Amino acid sequence: MNNKPICGEWHGNDVMPSENKLCIFEIKVGKASKGEILIGYKQCDIIVRESCDCEFACFEDAVIRWCYINLN
């Protein structure tokens, strides 16, 4: 099987996902002209990239939108 992660429904940054639930995030950090897409999860008030070392990506205020990953 060739399952690819897809978004179920995009949410704005007015509500954040549950902790430790894998999501796709669109974030904008600094003066970047475009948002960046990453796969990760929320931990306390930060967003971490999905990797074995839990790499810090940004704080919640940098999130533009997000969605839970659906593996259909």
Side-chain angles (χ1 to χ4, degrees):
M1 264 209 255
N2 230 356
N3 290 341
K4 294 181 182 178
I6 59 169
C7 271
E9 177 184 345
W10 284 104
H11 303 279
N13 63 2
D14 55 333
V15 62
M16 286 288 119
S18 300
E19 286 196 24
N20 301 317
K21 297 276 187 170
L22 200 57
C23 298
I24 298 173
F25 292 94
E26 182 178 356
I27 63 171
K28 185 170 181 177
V29 179
K31 296 182 179 186
S33 60
K34 273 173 63 167
E36 175 186 343
I37 300 292
L38 67 93
I39 295 176
Y41 51 92
K42 177 184 156 210
Q43 229 178 30
C44 297
D45 65 344
I46 64 171
I47 307 302
V48 295
R49 292 179 193 276
E50 175 60 19
S51 65
C52 57
D53 60 356
C54 299
E55 179 187 349
F56 170 82
C58 65
F59 290 101
E60 287 181 352
D61 61 351
V63 174
I64 297 169
R65 63 185 184 152
W66 63 273
C67 69
Y68 289 115
I69 291 180
N70 183 355
L71 291 175
N72 288 333

